[in-house]
Amino acid sequence: MTDRSIIGITAIKSEAESFSGLKVLKPGLSTTIQDLGREGYRSSGIAAGGAMDRYALRMANLLVGNEEGEAGLEVTLVGPELRVDTDLLISVCGAYLEPTIDGEELPMWRPVFVPRGAVLRFGRAVSGCRAYVAAAGGFGVPRELGSRSTDARAALGGLAGRRLAAGDALPCGAAQGAAAPSRWAAAWAAALSRQGEASAAKAPEGAGRRLPWAAAPWFAPPGAYGGDEDGIVLRAMPGSEHGQFSEAAREAFFRERYAIAPASDRMGCRLIGTPLARESRAELLSHGVTPGAVQVPPGGGPIILAADCQTTGGYPKIAHVATVDMPLLAQAKPGDTIRFQPVTLDEAQRLDRQREQDIRYLAAAIRSRQP
């Protein structure tokens, strides 16, 4: 290889790295790029996927001036270490995974300006299971079937269709492939940059160099989470095969407290508890299923289907979790306990409409905030 060829390869590599918004130093347990999913392909056997906690991702995007469905990072249980290679306006929503900027605690549920050279670190999940990181302008990975979401099983979307790995460079902010931040985001980034510089200049001598990062003084209160002191409560409607289970099983389903099994993942949440007996022994034809369906395989242990669930299944469905409570399921980690509360279809739809209205009001309130 000639010297000229070596120089050319080096230049290309240097140029690619210069367009990186975030560099992955450590990937964490499972960090992926997710948006709101690839809708319209379930009839072809392709799962919609997308963020497990759609509420947290939507809020994170609104807080940096993005469209709600823009791609962000989904961080699960043990978080990554990321180097910031360009000035960014970010937000972190969802589970609390001890986020820090160069060792200082990063405030959640608000816009945060992070300067080039800073290092974002996440620890273990103290509360919840999944956190979401949004950057103004989004992440500039290609769309596949209309979505940037990672489906690792199908090797589709995200960054090469897989979880992030050490050394990955993520285009975001002003990086190649990412959209330009909105005017609202640019104004907040500029104001918080000045605030960070003023704060850094006031740092006492001998305290070490403080990078000029800063967070907005206001935050968006999370409204999708709740439960009781004994665990998470999921409202659920009777499933299409609810009547095939014994009366004792139907009563137990809404009475028992189940534990989240370690084998749970983005395909489904497996529950540990009293097995549910089905009276009918007839085999079911494989039929369409969607996230939220509670299937009961022959062993009697319920499985709540999640974002990456298969498109068809033949296990009977005893219930279906209300859409409004799916963020609670996304934040349930192994060992947590949940119980089900009966709800009618009309009430579930009313709750969903109310949630959407709340998000619209909150989005308007966020847009009205000017630096």
Side-chain angles (χ1 to χ4, degrees):
M1 184 178 286
T2 65
D3 289 344
R4 184 176 180 180
S5 297
I6 294 172
I7 292 170
I9 289 173
T10 302
I12 291 171
K13 182 178 180 183
S14 176
E15 182 180 11
E17 289 182 348
S18 71
F19 282 119
S20 167
L22 289 172
K23 185 68 173 288
V24 180
L25 305 180
K26 296 180 181 179
L29 179 64
S30 177
T31 305
T32 58
I33 294 174
Q34 301 291 344
D35 56 21
L36 297 183
R38 44 184 57 84
E39 301 293 341
Y41 295 94
R42 294 188 69 83
S43 61
S44 301
I46 299 172
M52 283 281 286
D53 186 343
R54 295 165 65 93
Y55 177 84
L57 177 63
R58 292 170 69 183
M59 294 307 304
N61 275 317
L62 289 172
L63 287 166
V64 293
N66 292 345
E67 295 295 325
E68 294 178 24
E70 191 56 73
L73 300 184
E74 181 178 271
V75 177
T76 305
L77 286 174
V78 179
E81 184 174 315
L82 308 167
R83 188 186 72 214
V84 179
D85 286 345
T86 186
D87 292 351
L88 288 176
L89 185 72
I90 68 167
S91 66
V92 179
C93 296
Y96 179 63
L97 273 74
E98 304 175 302
T100 62
I101 303 175
D102 290 335
E104 297 182 272
E105 184 176 2
L106 183 156
M108 295 178 58
W109 299 94
R110 69 190 73 202
V112 180
F113 172 78
V114 186
R116 179 176 181 176
V119 175
L120 303 180
R121 293 183 179 89
F122 292 82
R124 296 179 178 272
V126 175
S127 63
C129 182
R130 295 174 173 88
Y132 293 81
V133 183
F139 288 85
V141 298
R143 295 182 188 273
E144 294 191 59
L145 299 179
S147 171
R148 294 187 170 99
S149 283
T150 306
D151 184 338
R153 284 183 172 81
L156 182 68
L159 194 67
R162 57 167 172 79
R163 299 173 180 177
L164 299 188
D168 284 342
L170 307 178
C172 57
Q176 187 179 37
S182 68
R183 290 168 57 181
W184 182 93
W188 270 105
L192 292 174
S193 174
R194 292 191 296 269
Q195 179 182 321
E197 289 172 354
S199 178
K202 294 178 182 178
E205 294 184 9
R209 186 173 71 95
R210 183 192 187 283
L211 287 177
W213 71 270
W218 52 271
F219 69 97
Y225 311 108
D228 60 22
E229 58 184 13
D230 295 321
I232 298 165
V233 179
L234 300 178
R235 286 164 287 197
M237 299 153 284
S240 54
E241 288 77 48
H242 183 261
Q244 295 184 12
F245 291 84
S246 67
E247 183 178 354
R250 296 196 300 268
E251 291 177 354
F253 178 77
F254 286 109
R255 183 185 65 243
E256 288 278 329
R257 278 186 166 79
Y258 294 92
I260 308 297
S264 300
D265 57 17
R266 283 180 48 88
M267 280 196 71
C269 184
R270 296 177 178 272
L271 306 182
I272 302 171
T274 303
L276 302 174
R278 180 178 172 228
E279 290 183 329
S280 172
R281 297 299 176 187
E283 290 289 330
L284 294 177
L285 293 176
S286 188
H287 54 280
V289 293
T290 58
V294 185
Q295 291 186 317
V296 183
I303 302 172
I304 310 173
L305 301 186
D308 283 351
C309 72
Q310 70 277 17
T311 58
T312 61
Y315 292 144
K317 301 181 294 298
I318 192 171
H320 200 290
V321 175
T323 300
V324 73
D325 285 343
M326 290 300 282
L328 295 175
L329 178 68
Q331 296 301 345
K333 58 180 178 292
D336 286 350
T337 60
I338 67 171
R339 65 181 178 86
F340 297 95
Q341 183 180 91
V343 67
T344 65
L345 176 60
D346 286 345
E347 178 64 6
Q349 291 176 335
R350 187 194 68 78
L351 290 168
D352 194 37
R353 289 194 299 270
Q354 182 63 54
R355 170 65 50 75
E356 291 302 312
Q357 184 177 17
D358 291 344
I359 291 176
R360 287 196 297 271
Y361 287 156
L362 197 50
I366 289 171
R367 288 193 298 268
S368 71
R369 292 278 187 173
Q370 298 298 324

